[in-house]
Amino acid sequence: MFINISEFISTPLKTETFKVPVDMQVYELNGDCFPFREKSELILTVSNIGNRKVHLEGHWECILAVPCDRCLKEVAVPFHIDVDEDVDLSAERQEDMSDDSYVEDSSINTDALINHEILIRFPMKTLCKDNCKGMCFKCGKDLNDGECGCDRASLDPRMAAIQDIFKNFKEV
Ligand SMILES: [Zn+2]
Ligand SMILES: [Zn+2]
């Protein structure tokens, strides 16, 4: 949805709260698609704060399905997003705006705003549990379900040497 903010800029003290349904089915990041498992309406209050600026305040919640970094099992990652942004239409010209800008032609693109808010909160690391054992790199079995019997120690000799160093290090 697009919320036109030019009428907010031209009307002193204008403030209005919008309830915006979010239609996106997936969140895209660097070519990966993460499906939404749940998402709320976006509640967004737009206020004229003077000097051709509007303030955006709002709240949105969702649960994203993100694969575990080790075993690839789906992890439900909740996001509780409090929007708190100023949009300055006096300084920002269209050509200066970055790719992830959610302001287009004096309108707020709410999908782009949500993408922006998820991006700045997206976890660096996602694990199904802290001690996830991951997958066997030989047969692909989920090692949380038990051993597969593969000999994962037969690395090339240089790696084996490094492993020995780690082993000795641990024993100290
Ligand atoms: Zn895992
Ligand atoms: Zn295996």
Side-chain angles (χ1 to χ4, degrees):
M1 180 175 156
F2 286 84
I3 298 173
N4 189 325
I5 52 174
S6 49
E7 60 175 300
F8 285 86
I9 295 293
S10 56
T11 314
L13 303 178
K14 183 176 169 68
T15 178
E16 190 177 335
T17 299
F18 297 86
K19 275 190 180 181
V20 185
V22 178
D23 298 327
M24 287 187 293
Q25 296 303 312
V26 295
Y27 169 68
E28 275 186 63
L29 178 65
N30 303 325
D32 288 324
C33 286
F34 305 99
F36 290 110
R37 290 296 177 237
E38 283 176 37
K39 48 188 158 64
S40 70
E41 280 182 322
L42 168 67
I43 309 292
L44 189 66
T45 301
V46 183
S47 307
N48 180 353
I49 54 171
N51 298 322
R52 294 185 61 77
K53 281 186 202 166
V54 293
H55 182 66
L56 306 178
E57 201 175 298
H59 189 76
W60 190 65
E61 299 197 356
C62 74
I63 294 178
L64 261 188
V66 181
C68 171
D69 287 344
R70 290 184 196 153
C71 71
L72 304 181
K73 219 180 290 168
E74 177 177 315
V75 182
V77 180
F79 288 82
H80 304 277
I81 292 174
D82 286 312
V83 181
D84 181 12
E85 308 263 346
D86 284 340
V87 178
D88 187 346
L89 285 187
S90 66
E92 274 188 317
R93 293 264 68 90
Q94 207 66 30
E95 49 270 25
D96 300 334
M97 290 178 181
S98 57
D99 285 345
D100 74 335
S101 175
Y102 49 83
V103 183
E104 293 173 31
D105 299 327
S106 305
S107 290
I108 304 291
N109 175 345
T110 55
D111 280 359
L113 173 64
I114 281 170
N115 276 323
H116 165 81
E117 300 291 340
I118 295 176
L119 180 66
I120 58 181
R121 292 170 175 81
F122 201 82
M124 296 291 290
K125 196 172 184 176
T126 303
L127 292 177
C128 61
K129 53 187 176 188
D130 284 345
N131 60 350
C132 172
K133 295 190 175 81
M135 282 187 331
C136 171
F137 64 83
K138 286 195 165 168
C139 72
K141 183 179 156 81
D142 183 346
L143 297 174
N144 298 301
D145 298 338
E147 261 303 324
C148 52
C150 293
D151 180 11
R152 287 188 300 278
S154 61
L155 302 163
D156 86 68
R158 284 163 302 172
M159 285 302 290
I162 291 171
Q163 249 193 353
D164 284 344
I165 293 169
F166 277 117
K167 243 181 244 162
N168 293 337
F169 187 71
K170 266 188 204 153
E171 280 161 14
V172 173

